[in-house]
Amino acid sequence: MKENEDLKESMSTMTLKMNKMNVDIDRLLADNTRLSKENKKLNQDLMKELHFYKAKHLEEKQRAESLAISLTEQKRIAIDLEEQLSLPPEQRQKIKEDCKYKDTVLDFISSLNIPDSFKVPKFTKCFCTDCCPDPHLEYRGQPLTMYAVPQNYVRFGVATDPRVIEHNAVFDKYHVSFCPVHPATIRDSISGGILLPGSTTPDGEKIPLTPFNEGRFSIVPDDPKPHKNPHSNHFRAEFRHPEKCMCGSCQDFLPTNFFFTSPTIKYIEHPNYRPYWVKYQGKMVRCAFQVRQKQDAYNILWRTTDKMICSSKLIDPFFRNDELEYFSADARNFVITGLCVSITDLPKATPAKALPPAGEPASEEKEEE
């Protein structure tokens, strides 16, 4: 009898131990499954990081090559300048103005009827392939910040209020950037300052919204890196976060509330920023303002021209994609110093519908492409 009780007790103890072992096995299996998932996610994250840094390495390599080309081009320009200065004045003038492309652009600018008080012809410069064969960088402002010369454009000098220039030390401190402009609003913008997309000029001309302006994003602070401009805040755009997002770092971002500029005119040529153009003498005309922008009053955003946010594809090899887009909410931070105009052949696949010349309402024009 006692042996049977001992046997039952022993079996009960063994059953408890087996149940505990089963529980431990189940827990280990669950932990193993969890760790497998975490390991798989970690591998995916590592692969993403690897692809990202490979793209960044390629981007930096392309940019280094472009900077080397820019340095060579600046040396060549300096040599050409010395050669021109060694010539008699009448020959220098001939070299400077003998450009048919520049004459065509100046004819178009004359058709805009800009008041003479806003014109500064001596600051007009051509950057066509003959006058400026290779793209290069220049540096302005405090601290010195680079911008790319507007390749294939003619920059027409625009007069500014000397009191503003002197009081704010605009040409000493402000940075250079480019701002897209509706061709029909050039006169109003020169006299009254740059305008937000969707706003209406004093003449009743409405600036159209672009696909980018109609979007809505969330922006989050970008990771600090040694090459970042320490005088500006850096952000990257993300697809809009859900309402009541708890990430603690995102902000709603509505593009219609901001002015957008770029240190390279190639960026604002993108259809998301400037889909509008006018037809002149059978050619396509596109315009942009060269502005001086207050050095401590703008933020920097990753490029947002593509459906893929933070794309690694370079638009301008001189610039990383995280330094292409400036944005500011205050028009008083800008001083227009030049009007950049490009005249090219009409493309086979038109980037967007042509807008009417200045002074004509958009609804009355039906252009055949």
Side-chain angles (χ1 to χ4, degrees):
M1 193 72 174
K2 187 177 180 181
E3 291 180 357
N4 290 337
E5 290 178 358
D6 292 341
L7 183 61
K8 287 181 180 180
E9 184 178 350
S10 177
M11 290 181 66
S12 176
T13 303
M14 290 181 64
T15 303
L16 290 173
K17 288 183 178 179
M18 289 182 66
N19 290 338
K20 185 179 179 182
M21 289 177 63
N22 288 333
V23 171
D24 291 341
I25 290 172
D26 290 341
R27 180 176 55 78
L28 289 172
L29 289 174
D31 290 344
N32 185 56
T33 303
R34 178 178 57 80
L35 290 172
S36 297
K37 290 181 180 179
E38 290 179 356
N39 188 46
K40 184 177 180 181
K41 185 178 183 302
L42 181 61
N43 287 334
Q44 291 174 348
D45 293 341
L46 288 174
M47 289 302 296
K48 288 180 181 179
E49 287 287 325
L50 179 63
H51 289 310
F52 174 79
Y53 283 109
K54 280 184 177 179
K56 292 293 289 183
H57 174 70
L58 178 61
E59 181 181 324
E60 292 288 347
K61 183 179 178 182
Q62 293 175 346
R63 186 168 179 269
E65 293 173 352
S66 300
L67 289 173
I69 293 172
S70 175
L71 182 60
T72 304
E73 173 62 12
Q74 290 184 42
K75 290 179 179 178
R76 186 192 65 77
I77 290 173
I79 293 171
D80 290 347
L81 182 59
E82 288 181 4
E83 292 177 353
Q84 289 190 30
L85 291 175
S86 65
L87 296 174
E90 60 275 8
Q91 293 186 23
R92 282 186 236 159
Q93 192 73 10
K94 182 178 179 181
I95 291 174
K96 183 179 179 181
E97 296 185 357
D98 188 17
C99 178
K100 293 181 179 178
Y101 178 75
K102 179 180 176 182
D103 293 339
T104 304
V105 171
L106 292 179
D107 288 341
F108 169 77
I109 293 175
S110 298
S111 70
L112 299 175
N113 298 319
I114 299 173
D116 292 338
S117 58
F118 289 105
K119 297 179 180 179
V120 189
K122 68 178 181 179
F123 291 136
T124 298
K125 186 174 181 180
C126 181
F127 295 95
C128 69
T129 52
D130 293 329
C131 299
C132 182
D134 298 311
H136 62 278
L137 297 173
E138 293 187 359
Y139 296 81
R140 298 289 186 274
Q142 293 179 5
L144 284 174
T145 302
M146 63 183 183
Y147 73 97
V149 297
Q151 191 76 5
N152 299 320
Y153 282 75
V154 173
R155 184 191 63 211
F156 182 77
V158 174
T160 54
D161 188 341
R163 295 171 298 178
V164 174
I165 299 297
E166 184 177 356
H167 178 71
N168 296 322
V170 169
F171 290 118
D172 293 329
K173 296 182 179 180
Y174 281 31
H175 295 157
V176 175
S177 60
F178 300 94
C179 176
V181 58
H182 188 303
T185 64
I186 288 174
R187 289 178 58 191
D188 290 321
S189 297
I190 288 177
S191 60
I194 60 175
L195 300 168
L196 285 169
S199 58
T200 304
T201 69
D203 292 339
E205 187 73 40
K206 185 173 181 180
I207 301 178
L209 294 173
T210 66
F212 171 74
N213 296 132
E214 294 173 339
R216 190 162 186 171
F217 309 94
S218 292
I219 58 172
V220 296
D222 199 9
D223 297 331
K225 295 181 176 65
H227 62 260
K228 296 295 180 65
N229 184 345
H231 302 277
S232 300
N233 295 320
H234 293 255
F235 296 91
R236 68 176 186 273
E238 296 182 351
F239 295 111
R240 192 181 177 198
H241 289 202
E243 296 290 342
K244 299 181 181 180
C245 176
M246 302 297 291
C247 73
S249 60
C250 67
Q251 306 173 39
D252 272 353
F253 188 67
L254 189 61
T256 49
N257 295 335
F258 296 95
F259 299 95
F260 290 88
T261 58
S262 177
T264 171
I265 207 165
K266 289 183 179 179
Y267 187 61
I268 62 171
E269 283 181 340
H270 195 282
N272 276 357
Y273 284 90
R274 189 179 53 184
Y276 31 79
W277 51 277
V278 292
K279 194 173 181 181
Y280 178 75
Q281 296 182 356
K283 301 280 188 176
M284 181 173 70
V285 180
R286 295 183 292 185
C287 305
F289 282 135
Q290 180 171 317
V291 300
R292 286 298 185 113
Q293 188 165 357
K294 193 174 181 182
Q295 71 278 11
D296 56 356
Y298 65 88
N299 297 312
I300 302 177
L301 188 66
W302 267 83
R303 60 172 285 192
T304 54
T305 51
D306 298 329
K307 292 181 179 179
M308 181 190 299
I309 292 180
C310 296
S311 170
S312 61
K313 183 180 178 182
L314 291 177
I315 288 182
D316 188 325
F318 287 128
F319 296 90
R320 289 179 292 269
N321 286 330
D322 58 356
E323 59 184 0
L324 280 175
E325 188 172 319
Y326 302 163
F327 67 96
S328 175
D330 194 344
R332 294 172 297 181
N333 296 328
F334 303 90
V335 177
I336 298 172
T337 58
L339 171 63
C340 299
V341 178
S342 167
I343 298 181
T344 57
D345 293 331
L346 288 169
K348 294 180 181 179
T350 318
K353 184 179 178 181
L355 293 175
E360 296 184 17
S363 59
E364 296 179 2
E365 181 76 15
K366 290 186 179 179
E367 195 97 54
E368 289 186 7
E369 298 178 5

